[in-house]
Amino acid sequence: MYRDPEAASPGAPTRDVLLVSAILTVSLSVTIVLCGLCHWCQRKLGKRYKNSLETVGTPDSGRGRGEKKAIKLPAGGKAVNTAPVPGQTPHDESDRRTEPRSSVSDLVNSLTSEMLMLSPGSEEDEAHEGCSRENLGRIQFSVGYNFQESTLTVKVMKAQELPAKDFSGTSDPFVKIYLLPDKKHKLETKVKRKNLNPHWNETFLFEGFPYEKVVQRVLYLQVLDYDRFSRNDPIGEVSIPLNKVDLTQMQTFWKDLKPCSDGSGSRGELLLSLCYNPSANSIIVNIIKARNLKAMDIGGTSDPYVKVWLMYKDKRVEKKKTVTKKRNLNPIFNESFAFDIPTEKLRETTIIITVMDKDKLSRNDVIGKIYLSWKSGPGEVKHWKDMIARPRQPVAQWHQLKA
């Protein structure tokens, strides 16, 4: 008697039922595993975000984000107390006392905070740039008057935390001493090479100066960075009216340096782009245009052109320049220059851009400079890093010209 092999026995399950049961079992197992994995990831990321909040709230972790160091000044100096008021709740602490967030919110916020920290142009970096520009360092000096010899004594001791003015990431500072309003007669300290915390300990005498005239003068100290190839770059200045000082004995002061007022006014801005090609080992510098340039000529205008120097380890390698734009404070150049720079030398490379005023009868005047490298000012470093992060793409940025 023939029996159909596919015919099911009365009490046994069919093949379709077994297949559906197996699929449901496997799907349920995969779903449970995925849910467990997601829950574990959310817990880890949520804990990481919570820890990052607590870290931001601690005083030590904020030092890398533009916090100004507390400065202890000796008697006679002035300082603004930026320490928190006792008993006042810090801002971060109050923010942390909000209601607990869900795991999904923790995940989103954690990823967002990481993206902000990694982005080259985040608001936090811009705030840090603002704080960096304000710090010009400080200087220690003393002043006193010898009534018997009618001599004013000024001793320049040292400076601290001076900003780097050279492309090498340092400065060569020295100090000029004036008794304003007289600017014809000045005294100078020695130059301290490659030093952001120089010690001078030099004494200067203004002899034959009646006390009645001394109290009508203002002691003016100007700190500059010595430049062998061009004009010295001003770092900062300090002034103190001598009628407000007890000159009967030597008085010592610590003073924060302020931006130099001589040659005041904006020097203008320059728009340029950088394009880095790692395969060709080259950087293309495009000088696009300038605006609001400082008038250097008697007629209230300038004849600007731009010099571009390629520097490697403090040595000049190559120079190129644009054409001169006659009588124009808002010139448009649109000139590009290519420089061969091997990748291994990129870290020690600096591009110096100088806007000049052409003068037929005398020496050409410097309107302003820009130093582009990985260790220049905050704005210049941002442009340099953006160039490296976006190879083969022109990256344009406005730069403020500096003295």
Side-chain angles (χ1 to χ4, degrees):
M1 181 177 179
Y2 176 76
R3 181 182 294 271
D4 187 359
E6 294 184 358
S9 60
T14 64
R15 183 190 302 173
D16 294 340
V17 173
L18 292 175
L19 182 60
V20 171
S21 299
I23 292 174
L24 290 176
T25 302
V26 173
S27 301
L28 183 60
S29 301
V30 171
T31 303
I32 293 174
V33 172
L34 290 177
C35 290
L37 183 60
C38 291
H39 183 66
W40 180 82
C41 291
Q42 291 175 356
R43 286 178 58 193
K44 286 292 183 181
L45 289 174
K47 182 177 180 181
R48 179 181 177 185
Y49 176 69
K50 180 179 178 182
N51 291 336
S52 67
L53 277 180
E54 294 175 352
T55 304
V56 170
T58 59
D60 291 338
S61 63
R63 289 179 183 170
R65 300 193 179 187
E67 179 188 2
K68 292 184 180 179
K69 295 181 180 179
I71 301 175
K72 294 182 179 180
L73 301 180
K78 292 184 179 180
V80 178
N81 186 7
T82 58
V85 178
Q88 182 179 354
T89 304
H91 182 68
D92 290 339
E93 292 291 338
S94 61
D95 288 344
R96 272 188 273 141
R97 293 197 179 113
T98 56
E99 296 181 359
R101 295 181 175 89
S102 64
S103 298
V104 177
S105 296
D106 288 345
L107 175 62
V108 173
N109 290 329
S110 177
L111 293 177
T112 303
S113 63
E114 290 179 4
M115 290 172 64
L116 285 174
M117 285 188 289
L118 293 176
S119 62
S122 64
E123 293 180 359
E124 185 178 30
D125 291 339
E126 292 174 0
H128 176 68
E129 290 174 17
C131 294
S132 298
R133 290 192 190 99
E134 293 177 359
N135 183 21
L136 298 177
R138 57 179 188 151
I139 187 171
Q140 185 186 41
F141 61 96
S142 61
V143 58
Y145 187 77
N146 187 324
F147 287 88
Q148 294 181 351
E149 299 180 1
S150 298
T151 299
L152 179 71
T153 301
V154 178
K155 183 176 182 180
V156 179
M157 301 173 181
K158 59 185 176 180
Q160 292 181 348
E161 300 176 1
L162 296 180
K165 287 289 187 177
D166 298 337
F167 49 82
S168 58
T170 184
S171 292
D172 303 320
F174 70 101
V175 183
K176 290 183 179 180
I177 303 102
Y178 298 88
L179 290 181
L180 300 181
D182 180 17
K183 274 204 166 186
K184 294 182 179 180
H185 304 92
K186 68 178 184 295
L187 299 172
E188 296 181 0
T189 68
K190 296 180 180 178
V191 177
K192 297 297 181 179
R193 301 283 184 178
K194 301 184 183 301
N195 199 330
L196 300 180
N197 297 280
H199 288 246
W200 290 286
N201 290 321
E202 296 185 40
T203 301
F204 302 91
L205 303 177
F206 292 86
E207 299 176 337
F209 227 112
Y211 181 77
E212 294 76 14
K213 291 186 177 181
V214 167
V215 294
Q216 297 175 4
R217 300 299 178 95
V218 175
L219 177 62
Y220 174 79
L221 305 181
Q222 184 184 38
V223 183
L224 301 101
D225 169 52
Y226 174 77
D227 195 327
R228 184 174 60 179
F229 298 107
S230 62
R231 288 185 178 181
N232 301 322
D233 296 325
I235 295 178
E237 65 180 22
V238 167
S239 59
I240 178 170
L242 294 179
N243 61 358
K244 296 183 179 180
V245 180
D246 181 11
L247 298 175
T248 57
Q249 55 184 355
M250 294 294 291
Q251 301 285 337
T252 302
F253 299 90
W254 270 111
K255 291 288 185 180
D256 293 331
L257 293 172
K258 299 179 180 179
C260 293
S261 57
D262 62 328
S264 60
S266 173
R267 296 176 176 269
E269 296 176 281
L270 183 67
L271 177 63
L272 61 98
S273 69
L274 301 175
C275 182
Y276 174 55
N277 190 336
S279 58
N281 289 329
S282 67
I283 290 180
I284 297 177
V285 180
N286 184 16
I287 307 299
I288 303 174
K289 61 181 179 179
R291 64 187 179 191
N292 303 323
L293 293 182
K294 184 177 181 180
M296 306 297 288
D297 298 337
I298 299 176
T301 184
S302 292
D303 302 320
Y305 68 97
V306 181
K307 289 195 305 185
V308 184
W309 269 104
L310 176 66
M311 310 288 293
Y312 179 70
K313 286 187 175 180
D314 300 353
K315 295 181 180 179
R316 296 185 175 189
V317 179
E318 188 177 358
K319 181 185 78 169
K320 298 182 180 181
K321 65 179 181 178
T322 68
V323 298
T324 302
K325 300 294 182 177
K326 297 289 186 178
R327 296 181 294 277
N328 197 335
L329 298 181
N330 297 279
I332 298 176
F333 298 100
N334 283 328
E335 295 190 45
S336 297
F337 307 103
F339 296 95
D340 295 329
I341 304 174
T343 304
E344 63 272 12
K345 294 184 178 181
L346 194 61
R347 191 172 181 84
E348 298 293 334
T349 297
T350 300
I351 296 176
I352 304 179
I353 298 174
T354 307
V355 181
M356 305 287 297
D357 171 49
K358 182 76 173 181
D359 199 328
K360 293 182 179 180
L361 302 178
S362 62
R363 188 177 181 181
N364 297 333
D365 297 320
V366 176
I367 298 178
K369 293 183 179 181
I370 301 168
Y371 293 85
L372 296 171
S373 71
W374 72 274
K375 51 188 176 182
S376 304
E380 293 82 356
V381 169
K382 178 182 180 301
H383 198 179
W384 192 263
K385 290 182 177 180
D386 288 348
M387 172 195 71
I388 297 176
R390 290 186 274 177
R392 302 178 185 87
Q393 299 180 32
V395 181
Q397 182 176 316
W398 282 100
H399 290 272
Q400 186 75 37
L401 295 175
K402 300 178 181 179

